[in-house]
């Protein structure tokens, strides 16, 4: 039990510390692919430290919601990220929140961010919130269908149990899982505001979605929101790694060597998925806002197809 | 306390409510008369809720019904709190008690209290009669009484033609619904006319049970707001004064759900496997169409009424799943789905009442229901805004509030459905799951829009700029409901455990006791399979947020400066140019609306050089009106025109008609023999 708590605590700290590094690494690789030298992989840490020390400038008619929303967004995203097994399964909190809760916690974060976008009453915030909620209205059901597929496959909605089931015998290539993986990747791209859905680097008004929502934020508020955004990216990458490539992950309570292997393999998986994400991003152009629903509908349909195939193939005993 | 004493107490409570209704007629003209009536309502309803809670938790209730010597010549009125009645009596009376507290403050602003005050206790009493009735006659009598009392509340503000039309539509729908329920009970009662529920359970129905299912779905569904019978809800619910709207939307729809459960799960006997199919299809369509309609709406109260339609869909999804599982021989799964549905009924009664009360407070302070003319109220009405925000989070099914728990339970029930033996429900359930997920995500968008355009941003009209916070009674009621939303979200195990008796009596199984789970978590089937700990999630969110805020402000920076918003160099001239509720919904309207509502935008641009106004006209169609109601209305009008001629005949012609009708009837009887 002690080990379970330790692992959980380590995980909570790890996601917080590692998230900016993942953003830094993806930015670095992206720069290299674009034949630029790029900033150091540690630049996001420096940005966060710089922002967090600056005074916050808020708009004149902003309310208390505007000032509390960053912390709520940060807390819910942090909690969700801490619930996804990274290097070890069997976390203490696994029994408290399953993967449906993780999806819903991200929903809470988005809800508050969208409200914060509307708080000042400028057009940028409004356009960002409105588009973000439109994307979410397709991305969230797609995500839940992916969850259904995986949960039906593993007979559980808890990530620790799912991960253990996936490493176990009798799991081979499965068409439903493949469909779920594609859907999950599409959802991850949309939820993390990556190209082709949104561009994290843009500051051109008409193309912003996520950036438009947080346009009024500055100083420590902005730092907290940026930290939450990088944790969300880490969460999705960890989720894909935990469900679809659970190899090497240790179980809480095993020996130090197993922990080292677990941590090493997790870092490797992060690097590999980060690299693939950037290659995909560099190879594709951003799409128009109203093409995004079609893109997300693909994920929704793939998820539905995956679930229906499972429902058909599982003949009850 | 013996069950009989409990039933007597409950009957006395109903009697008191009816007495209050009678008392309301003279008293409401007094200056503090409405406070007296509403305060007494709050007390009586809390008492009724306590009695019902006791009856639910103590086994053996529901026996020894109270017999009243009134009713049909052949029968008598039976009132009892069996587990199902008790569960719904708690839901109805708890919400009503808090709404009555709100009304103590809110009712003072009524222009003509005598048009509202007497009908309010009558309405509440009638809902209780429906819940406690153990025979078809008193059930239907209570049902009709409930419809009439609420109709009086709908038309209490008859200055606007819209309210009168709403009342007419409501009356027609209510009459039709009661008619179908009457027929359903007629079939269940059999040729002997055994109208008590006990004998109905024992004797086989006189007709095929399929007809009973269809009639219950139409009768209870029209009251609850199942698509396409939902048309009256968005007209009638907003027309009533806000506390009555809260009762109609948050509570009366639950009485309809009770009617459906009572007839289909309890009285109609064991379900066939295909019963779940129409229920699930209708429920899925209801959930999706309800939330899409709500998204298109910019009248705050109509938005809430449409959103009730969505939640009724979610509840009926749970009920449909329970039917499928029960027929498929999976009683534990059926218990899970049924408890998910009833828990959602409870949750919805809390947050929908809360939101309607919040809308009432806004309406009272600004005189506006149109969100295009509100905005920025979080500054003027901070406590109302806070309570409304809690309601918005809860209804959007976001953790750690209560709406999430019941949706989580429904999802867990959906994940058990591959075990169903029949193919068609097994193929249908994933699609229903996708619909449920979609409507949950759209609900979040809908309430970002509702809260954002009402309370955030800048005031769009002068009324919103001069609003003042509402009175203390109203605030207390709203904060109480908000606290209950949180409480039910972080301690759901108690609610699930107390519904064990209901699922035992209806589907013959109950879930494992949640109170034995460690750390207040809930694990409906098996902790390895799925578990949720709302308390821990809530504690972690609060701890993480507070810790982060303290660390950041203590060690990094705490300076705060206010400056004008970033405007790209184009100062926005008018607050009207802000993002409005329609502009917020525009992307979703474009994605979903062009198919579902045949939404069309007509843009009229003046020629270059012309300084005339540009216009954007939006055209939306309600499928239910286009496909169902308008043809019926046209048919009735045409038929009435044709039959009009019969009003102006001479007496000889009338006699001839009577004679012809007599001959025709005799011929038919002769042929029958």
């Amino acid at each position: 039990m002690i080990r379970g708590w330790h692992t959980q605590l380590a995980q909570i700290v790890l996601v917080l510390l590692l998230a900016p590094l993942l953003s830094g690494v993806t930015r670095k690789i992206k720069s290299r692919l674009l034949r630029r030298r790029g900033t150091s992989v540690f630049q996001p840490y420096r940005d966060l430290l710089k922002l967090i020390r600056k005074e916050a400038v808020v708009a004149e008619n902003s309310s208390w919601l505007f000032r509390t929303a960053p912390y709520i967004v940060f807390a819910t995203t942090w909690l969700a990220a801490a619930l996804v097994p990274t290097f070890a399964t069997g976390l203490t909190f696994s029994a408290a929140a399953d993967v449906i809760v993780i999806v819903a916690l991200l929903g809470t974060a988005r809800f508050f961010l969208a409200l914060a976008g509307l708080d000042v009453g400028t057009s940028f915030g409004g356009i960002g919130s409105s588009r973000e909620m439109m994307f979410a209205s397709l991305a969230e059901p797609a995500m839940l269908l992916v969850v259904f597929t995986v949960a039906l496959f593993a007979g559980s909605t808890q990530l620790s149990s799912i991960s253990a089931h996936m490493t176990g015998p009798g799991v081979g290539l499965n068409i439903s899982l493949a469909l779920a993986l594609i859907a999950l990747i599409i959802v991850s791209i949309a939820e993390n505001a990556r190209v082709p859905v949104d561009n994290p680097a843009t500051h051109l008004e008409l193309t912003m979605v996520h950036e438009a929502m947080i346009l009024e934020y500055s100083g420590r508020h902005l730092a907290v929101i940026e930290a939450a955004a990088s944790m969300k990216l880490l969460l999705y990458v960890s989720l894909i790694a935990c469900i679809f490539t659970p190899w090497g992950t240790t179980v809480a309570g095993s020996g130090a060597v197993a922990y080292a292997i677990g941590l090493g393999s997790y870092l490797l998986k992060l690097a590999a998925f980060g690299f693939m994400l950037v290659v995909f991003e560099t190879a594709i152009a951003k799409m128009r806002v109203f093409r995004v629903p079609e893109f997300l509908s693909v994920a929704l349909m793939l998820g539905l197809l995956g679930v229906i195939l499972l429902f058909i193939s599982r003949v009850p005993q | 306390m013996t069950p009989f004493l409990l039933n007597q107490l409950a009957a006395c409570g109903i009697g008191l409510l009816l007495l209050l209704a009678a008392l309301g007629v003279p008293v409401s003209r007094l200056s503090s008369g409405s406070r007296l009536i509403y305060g007494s309502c709050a007390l009586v309803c809390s008492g009724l809720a306590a009695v019902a809670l006791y009856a639910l938790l103590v086994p053996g209730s529901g026996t020894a019904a109270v017999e009243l010597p009134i009713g049909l010549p052949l029968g008598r009125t039976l009132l009892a709190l069996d587990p199902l009645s008790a569960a719904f009596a708690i839901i109805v009376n708890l919400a009503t008690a808090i709404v009555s507290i709100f009304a103590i403050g809110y009712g003072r602003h009524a222009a003509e209290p005598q048009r509202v005050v007497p009908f309010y206790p009558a309405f509440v009493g009638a809902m209780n009669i429906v819940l406690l009735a153990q025979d078809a006659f008193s059930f239907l009598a209570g049902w009709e009484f409930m419809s009439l009392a609420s109709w009086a509340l709908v038309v209490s503000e008859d200055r606007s033609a819209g309210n009168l039309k709403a009342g007419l539509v409501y009356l027609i729908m209510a009459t039709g619904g009661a008619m179908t329920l009457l027929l359903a009970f007629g079939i269940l009662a059999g040729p002997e006319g055994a109208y008590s529920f006990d004998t109905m359970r024992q004797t086989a129905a006189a007709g095929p049970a399929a007809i009973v299912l269809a009639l219950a779905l139409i009768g209870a569904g029209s009251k609850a707001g199942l698509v396409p019978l939902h048309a009256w809800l968005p007209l009638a619910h907003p027309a009533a004064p806000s506390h009555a709207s809260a009762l109609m939307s948050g509570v009366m729809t639950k009485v309809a759900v009770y009617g459906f459960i009572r007839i289909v799960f309890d009285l109609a006997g064991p379900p066939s496997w295909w019963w779940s199919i129409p229920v699930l299809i209708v429920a899925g369509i209801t959930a999706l169409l309800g939330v899409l309609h709500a998204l298109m709406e910019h009248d705050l109260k109509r938005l809430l009424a449409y959103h009730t339609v969505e939640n009724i869909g979610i509840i009926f999804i749970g009920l449909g799943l329970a039917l499928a599982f029960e027929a498929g021989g999976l009683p534990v799964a059926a218990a899970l789905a049924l408890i998910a549905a009833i828990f959602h009924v409870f949750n919805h009664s809390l947050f929908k009442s809360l939101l309607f009360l919040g809308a009432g407070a806004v309406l009272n302070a600004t005189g506006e229901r149109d969100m295009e003319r509100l905005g920025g109220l979080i500054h003027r009405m901070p406590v109302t805004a806070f309570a409304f925000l809690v309601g918005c989070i809860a209804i959007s099914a976001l953790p750690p509030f209560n709406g999430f728990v019941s949706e989580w339970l429904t999802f867990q029930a959906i994940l058990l459905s591959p075990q169903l033996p029949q193919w068609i429900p097994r193929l249908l359930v994933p699609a229903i799951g996708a619909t449920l997920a979609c409507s949950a995500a759209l609900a979040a968008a809908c309430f970002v829009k509702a809260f954002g355009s009402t309370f955030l941003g800048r005031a769009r009209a002068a009324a919103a700029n001069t609003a003042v916070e509402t009175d203390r009674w109203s605030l207390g009621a709203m904060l109480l409901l908000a606290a209950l939303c949180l409480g039910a979200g972080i301690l759901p195990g108690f609610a699930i455990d107390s519904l064990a008796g209901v699922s035992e009596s209806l589907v013959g199984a109950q879930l494992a006791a949640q109170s034995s789970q460690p750390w207040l978590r809930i694990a409906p089937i098996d902790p390895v399979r799925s578990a949720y700990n709302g308390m821990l999630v809530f504690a972690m969110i609060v701890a993480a947020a507070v810790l982060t805020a303290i660390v950041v402000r203590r060690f990094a920076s705490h300076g705060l400066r206010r400056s004008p918003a970033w405007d790209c160099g184009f100062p926005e001239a008018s607050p009207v140019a802000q993002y409005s509720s329609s502009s917020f919904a525009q992307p979703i309207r474009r994605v979903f609306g062009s198919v579902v509502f045949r939404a069309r935008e007509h843009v009229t641009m003046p020629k270059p050089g012309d300084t005339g106004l540009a216009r954007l006209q939006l055209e939306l169609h309600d499928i239910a009106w286009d496909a169902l109601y308008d043809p019926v209305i046209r048919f009735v009008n045409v038929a009435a025109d044709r039959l009009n001629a019969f009003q102006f005949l001479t007496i000889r012609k009338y006699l001839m008609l009577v004679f012809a009708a007599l001959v025709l009837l005799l011929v038919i009887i002769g042929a029958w023999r």
Side-chain angles (χ1 to χ4, degrees):
Chain A
M1 199 58 207
I2 302 287
R3 280 300 180 98
W5 275 106
H6 286 182
T7 316
Q8 180 67 67
L9 213 64
Q11 156 113 17
I12 291 175
V13 178
L14 181 79
V15 291
L16 184 61
L17 293 182
L18 209 55
L21 185 64
L22 179 64
S23 305
V25 170
T26 52
R27 271 186 225 169
K28 180 79 176 175
I29 303 172
K30 193 165 187 180
S31 305
R32 301 299 301 191
L33 285 175
L34 297 171
R35 308 206 68 175
R36 288 190 282 119
R37 190 181 284 160
T39 52
S40 151
V41 292
F42 298 107
Q43 189 60 35
Y45 294 100
R46 293 183 197 133
D47 288 346
L48 287 178
L49 283 178
K50 181 189 73 183
L51 280 174
I52 210 164
R53 284 200 296 255
K54 289 192 171 237
E55 75 170 348
V57 182
V58 299
E60 266 151 8
N61 66 328
S62 64
S63 66
W64 55 266
L65 189 73
F66 187 78
R67 279 171 282 140
T68 40
Y71 299 107
I72 297 173
V73 170
F74 181 79
T76 46
T77 316
W78 192 12
L79 178 59
L83 289 167
V84 180
T86 54
F87 61 93
T89 58
L91 302 169
T92 314
F93 290 168
S94 278
D98 60 5
V99 61
I100 299 178
V101 180
I102 294 174
V103 176
L105 279 172
L106 292 175
T108 309
R110 177 171 46 234
F111 188 84
F112 274 95
L113 208 53
L115 284 183
L118 289 169
D119 185 47
V120 178
T122 58
S123 299
F124 285 121
I127 202 170
S129 299
S130 142
R131 289 179 175 179
E132 175 87 1
M133 293 319 281
M134 184 260 283
F135 293 170
S137 69
L138 288 165
E140 202 179 283
M143 181 73 192
L144 277 173
L145 287 173
V146 172
V147 169
F148 283 2
T149 309
V150 177
L152 287 172
F153 196 75
S156 167
T157 52
Q158 285 185 24
L159 276 174
S160 286
S161 313
I162 292 172
S163 189
H165 184 267
M166 289 296 188
T167 43
V171 179
L173 285 175
N174 183 300
I175 186 75
S176 290
L177 283 184
L179 295 177
L181 176 62
I182 301 172
L184 182 55
I185 290 173
I186 295 178
V187 171
S188 315
I189 288 170
E191 288 280 352
N192 285 296
R194 313 293 301 193
V195 176
V197 172
D198 192 3
N199 188 350
T202 186
H203 280 279
L204 180 67
E205 290 88 346
L206 291 175
T207 58
M208 291 191 295
V209 178
H210 178 81
E211 290 294 318
M213 264 197 305
I214 61 172
L215 193 70
E216 283 297 323
Y217 276 113
S218 60
R220 57 172 185 272
H221 297 150
L222 185 60
V224 168
I225 288 179
E226 294 286 349
S230 58
M231 269 199 292
K232 194 170 171 186
L233 180 63
L234 183 82
L235 182 154
Y236 274 96
V237 174
S238 309
L239 193 64
I240 295 174
C242 163
I243 296 173
F244 295 99
T245 61
W247 309 297
T249 311
T250 181
V251 179
S254 45
V257 181
Y259 270 91
I261 295 176
L263 198 59
S265 61
Y266 175 60
L267 291 178
L268 271 179
K269 285 178 223 166
L270 277 191
F273 282 120
F275 182 73
M276 285 194 270
L277 172 70
V278 175
V279 170
F280 177 74
E281 264 194 326
T282 334
I284 200 162
K286 189 184 169 310
M287 55 176 72
R288 283 172 53 223
V289 167
F290 284 102
R291 288 284 307 282
V292 175
E294 293 167 24
F295 182 62
L296 285 170
S297 312
V298 171
L300 191 63
M301 286 303 127
L302 288 178
L304 188 58
L305 206 57
V307 178
I308 288 183
L309 286 178
L310 268 186
F311 265 79
I312 292 176
S313 61
R314 290 287 155 104
V315 178
Q317 289 82 31
Chain B
M1 269 192 277
T2 60
F4 185 64
L5 187 62
L6 283 176
N7 294 336
Q8 273 184 322
L9 276 175
C12 287
I14 296 177
L16 277 177
L17 285 170
L18 298 183
L19 204 64
L20 280 175
L23 201 65
V25 178
V27 165
S28 60
R29 289 174 191 278
L30 305 177
S31 62
S32 59
S34 70
R35 303 176 71 172
L36 179 75
I37 298 292
Y38 288 132
S40 320
C41 270
L43 286 178
V44 174
C45 285
S46 344
L48 275 171
V51 168
L53 183 66
Y54 190 87
L56 183 63
L57 295 182
V58 175
S61 56
T63 50
V66 174
E67 281 190 36
L68 299 178
I70 45 174
L72 282 182
L74 317 169
R76 60 226 191 285
T77 298
L78 294 173
L79 298 175
L81 281 166
D82 69 346
L84 181 65
S85 297
F88 274 85
I90 296 170
I91 295 168
V92 163
N93 287 306
L94 180 67
T96 307
I98 303 177
V99 170
S100 306
I101 297 176
F102 177 89
I104 294 176
Y106 187 77
R108 273 185 300 187
H109 308 288
E112 292 170 291
Q114 68 274 19
R115 308 187 71 150
V116 180
V117 172
F119 298 108
Y120 183 87
F123 178 37
V124 179
M127 288 195 285
N128 275 301
I129 294 176
V130 176
L131 294 182
L132 262 69
Q134 295 297 326
D135 64 303
F137 173 74
S138 38
F139 181 98
L140 283 172
W143 185 277
E144 285 289 57
F145 193 29
M146 170 177 90
S147 300
L148 278 177
S150 54
W151 171 80
L153 292 169
V154 168
V155 295
S156 68
E157 287 163 17
D158 64 352
R159 296 281 182 277
S160 86
N163 287 1
L164 286 181
K165 187 199 167 197
L168 179 64
V169 173
Y170 176 37
L171 210 54
I172 292 171
M173 297 295 286
T175 319
M179 183 75 184
T180 51
L181 284 184
L182 181 68
L183 293 176
F185 280 124
I187 293 174
L188 285 171
E192 294 85 33
Y195 281 106
S196 96
F197 288 169
D198 269 336
T199 42
M200 275 187 199
R201 271 181 215 115
Q202 281 146 17
T203 53
I211 299 180
V212 176
L213 176 75
L215 290 172
L217 203 58
I218 296 172
S222 70
K223 192 60 116 191
L226 285 178
V227 171
L229 303 171
H230 67 288
W232 66 273
L233 263 89
L235 299 175
H237 288 183
S242 292
H243 57 296
S245 309
L247 283 195
M248 288 182 74
S249 214
V251 179
M252 186 177 71
T253 52
K254 309 306 170 321
V255 178
V257 172
Y258 163 81
F260 182 79
I261 297 180
R262 175 64 81 195
I263 293 176
V264 172
F265 282 83
D266 188 17
L267 302 179
S272 307
W273 66 271
W274 56 267
W275 282 21
S276 60
I277 297 170
V279 178
L280 282 173
I281 292 176
V282 168
I285 295 173
T286 303
L288 206 54
L289 271 185
V291 68
L292 283 173
H293 269 296
L295 264 165
M296 298 306 118
E297 204 48 66
H298 53 82
D299 177 323
L300 186 54
K301 283 177 82 175
R302 277 175 66 105
L303 178 146
L304 293 175
Y306 266 127
H307 209 270
T308 297
V309 175
E310 187 230 351
N311 278 283
I312 289 298
I314 295 175
I315 291 163
F316 273 82
I317 286 177
L319 296 179
L321 287 172
L323 276 179
F325 286 130
E326 194 193 352
L330 301 162
V332 178
L336 173 60
L338 185 68
I339 285 178
I342 298 181
F343 192 38
H344 197 74
V345 166
F346 175 63
N347 293 335
H348 186 248
S349 77
L350 293 179
F351 46 63
K352 186 48 62 75
S353 305
L354 168 58
L355 291 170
F356 259 111
L357 298 187
V362 168
L363 177 62
N364 210 0
T366 63
E368 279 293 343
R369 280 166 26 187
D370 188 353
M371 290 189 284
E372 312 283 34
R373 297 173 56 78
L374 293 168
L377 287 175
I378 194 169
H379 303 285
R380 317 275 324 173
M381 309 172 72
V383 185
T384 306
F386 175 77
F388 200 85
L389 177 64
V390 171
C392 288
I393 303 171
I395 202 169
S396 307
L398 297 172
F401 288 90
N402 56 354
F404 172 71
V405 184
S406 36
E407 286 212 12
W408 185 83
L409 290 170
T410 313
F411 281 136
Q412 296 300 339
I414 286 174
L415 288 174
L416 289 174
S417 50
Q419 298 171 15
L420 285 172
Q422 287 87 17
W423 278 98
I424 300 178
R426 273 169 70 199
L427 287 180
L428 187 62
V429 168
I432 294 298
T435 317
L436 184 59
C438 234
S439 60
L442 287 168
C446 179
F447 281 93
V448 166
K449 173 185 117 155
F451 188 81
S453 39
T454 310
F455 289 97
L456 302 178
R458 289 169 289 158
R460 293 183 181 84
N465 229 341
T466 52
V468 285
E469 184 61 280
T470 185
D471 59 281
R472 289 192 181 177
W473 287 104
S474 307
L475 289 180
M478 285 190 280
L479 289 177
L480 191 56
L481 283 170
L484 283 172
C485 283
L486 180 65
I490 60 181
L491 297 170
F494 177 72
I496 295 172
D497 280 352
S498 53
L499 290 175
V502 181
S503 67
E504 183 69 56
S505 68
L506 293 184
V507 295
Q510 45 181 289
L511 299 179
Q514 303 296 320
S515 51
S516 60
Q517 290 286 334
W519 297 97
L520 296 170
R521 75 175 177 202
I522 55 167
I525 302 295
D526 178 8
V528 180
R529 188 184 168 89
S530 56
Y532 171 65
N533 190 334
M535 181 66 117
L536 190 71
V537 167
F538 174 65
M540 288 297 293
I541 293 175
V542 171
V546 170
L547 193 74
T548 314
I550 289 175
V551 167
V552 167
R553 293 173 64 90
R554 175 79 184 73
F555 296 104
S557 70
H558 57 270
L560 188 79
R561 184 158 55 87
R562 288 191 176 269
S563 79
W566 172 246
D567 54 13
C568 277
F570 282 99
E572 276 184 76
S574 154
V576 181
Q578 281 178 93
Y579 239 63
S580 65
S581 116
S582 330
S583 40
F584 186 89
Q586 188 263 351
I588 291 175
R589 187 173 73 227
R590 207 168 140 175
V591 174
F592 297 97
S594 51
V595 184
V596 181
F597 305 114
R598 286 186 282 134
R600 298 280 176 277
E601 285 174 2
H602 306 287
V603 183
T604 338
M605 285 294 278
K607 289 217 167 62
D610 185 358
T611 51
L613 295 170
R615 293 201 75 81
L616 173 78
Q617 257 185 325
L618 183 63
E619 187 190 331
L620 290 175
H621 295 270
D622 186 334
I623 304 173
W625 278 101
D626 285 3
L628 184 62
Y629 295 99
D630 283 341
V632 170
I633 292 169
R634 271 200 301 276
F635 170 76
V636 170
N637 283 339
V638 169
D641 279 348
R642 293 279 156 80
L643 294 175
N644 198 20
F646 286 94
Q647 292 205 14
F648 306 103
L649 302 181
T650 58
I651 189 119
R652 278 177 298 134
K653 287 179 179 165
Y654 278 125
L655 285 174
M656 264 170 66
L657 276 177
V658 171
F659 183 68
L662 189 66
V663 170
L664 188 69
L665 279 175
L666 286 174
V667 167
I668 290 174
I669 290 174
W672 193 276
R673 285 274 165 94

Coordinates of all heavy atoms in Angstrom, one line a residue, chain A residues 186 205 208 266 307:
Chain A
I186 N -6.9 11.1 -33.8 CA -7.6 12.2 -34.3 C -8.1 13.1 -33.2 O -7.9 14.4 -33.2 CB -8.8 11.8 -35.2 CG1 -8.2 11.1 -36.5 CG2 -9.6 13.0 -35.6 CD1 -9.3 10.6 -37.4
E205 N -5.6 36.2 -36.2 CA -6.9 36.2 -35.5 C -7.8 35.1 -36.1 O -8.4 34.3 -35.4 CB -7.6 37.5 -35.6 CG -6.9 38.6 -34.8 CD -5.8 39.3 -35.6 OE1 -5.4 38.8 -36.6 OE2 -5.4 40.4 -35.1
M208 N -7.1 31.4 -35.0 CA -7.0 31.0 -33.7 C -8.2 30.3 -33.1 O -9.3 30.8 -33.4 CB -6.6 32.2 -32.8 CG -5.3 32.8 -33.0 SD -4.9 33.9 -31.8 CE -6.1 35.2 -32.0
Y266 N 8.8 4.5 -20.7 CA 7.9 5.5 -20.8 C 8.5 6.7 -21.5 O 7.9 7.3 -22.4 CB 7.4 5.9 -19.4 CG 6.4 7.1 -19.4 CD1 5.3 7.1 -20.1 CD2 6.8 8.3 -18.7 CE1 4.4 8.2 -20.1 CE2 5.9 9.4 -18.7 CZ 4.8 9.3 -19.4 OH 3.9 10.4 -19.5
V307 N -16.9 0.0 -31.7 CA -17.8 -0.5 -30.7 C -18.8 -1.5 -31.3 O -19.0 -2.6 -30.7 CB -18.6 0.7 -30.0 CG1 -19.5 0.1 -29.0 CG2 -17.6 1.6 -29.4

